[in-house]
Amino acid sequence: MKGDQRLLDTLNFLLADELTAINQYIVHAEMCEDWGYAKLHDAFKKRAIEEMKHAEQLIGRILFLEGIPIVTNYNSIHIGADIPKQVENDRTAEEGAIKAYNDAIVLAGEVRDYATQDILKKILNDEDRHMDEIEEMIDQISHMTLPIFLTNQV
């Protein structure tokens, strides 16, 4: 089934976002493991794996719509030198993803591709959950102070 070119371009844009997020989260996860923060490592790695699943879904949908998945495009990856910067960079990335998915959902509706719209809504729900988890970490750091927060991540 040939898909709308604007929607295919948007799906490839979202794919670039997901591929970027995978790399950012996996580097943050490995940095946390290196620093001995096993719980943060696991949380970041889990999020990276979820982003991989999103990329897989987008690739599958692009192929279904007879498009070509572009897996060589990445956005700027923002690696934090410490935990607060990592969490803030991840929050910024998720904020951008949520906006992009909302815009893509509107476009899918405009071109009357409701199956793609359903896929995008499911991914958006995951991105909303990611944002909630990140904001929870930010709140915990604020309430506990960074040293106490990090002590709980060992």
Side-chain angles (χ1 to χ4, degrees):
M1 178 179 121
K2 185 66 178 157
D4 180 271
Q5 190 59 49
R6 292 177 303 151
L7 186 56
L8 284 165
D9 292 343
T10 298
L11 293 174
N12 269 310
F13 173 82
L14 293 171
L15 179 57
D17 268 355
E18 296 294 350
L19 296 172
T20 301
I22 292 164
N23 285 283
Q24 184 168 314
Y25 287 139
I26 207 70
V27 171
H28 286 168
E30 293 307 307
M31 289 172 76
C32 287
E33 182 173 60
D34 185 58
W35 295 331
Y37 301 125
K39 291 179 184 177
L40 278 177
H41 166 266
D42 293 346
F44 291 155
K45 184 176 179 181
K46 179 183 175 204
R47 199 172 305 134
I49 291 168
E50 289 177 355
E51 302 295 8
M52 287 179 211
K53 291 176 183 177
H54 297 162
E56 180 182 26
Q57 291 174 306
L58 292 169
I59 289 168
R61 192 63 187 171
I62 291 166
L63 290 170
F64 176 80
L65 296 173
E66 298 179 21
I68 298 172
I70 300 170
V71 296
T72 54
N73 290 349
Y74 291 83
N75 300 318
S76 295
I77 298 172
H78 301 281
I79 304 302
D82 56 33
I83 300 300
K85 191 64 180 165
Q86 287 179 353
V87 174
E88 182 56 33
N89 289 347
D90 294 348
R91 187 198 62 75
T92 300
E94 290 296 340
E95 189 175 69
I98 288 168
K99 181 184 180 331
Y101 276 101
N102 276 308
D103 292 345
I105 288 165
V106 171
L107 176 60
E110 288 173 4
V111 301
R112 303 175 61 90
D113 184 342
Y114 301 112
T116 298
Q117 191 178 55
D118 287 344
I119 292 167
L120 296 173
K121 285 179 181 178
K122 287 177 187 170
I123 295 173
L124 175 62
N125 285 332
D126 288 345
E127 302 298 356
D128 281 343
R129 184 175 37 78
H130 294 168
M131 180 63 94
D132 189 47
E133 292 165 355
I134 291 166
E135 288 178 341
E136 184 177 275
M137 280 186 203
I138 292 169
D139 287 345
Q140 289 173 352
I141 291 169
S142 172
H143 295 145
M144 294 181 199
T145 71
L146 182 62
I148 293 171
F149 173 79
L150 293 177
T151 299
N152 290 315
Q153 302 306 314
V154 175

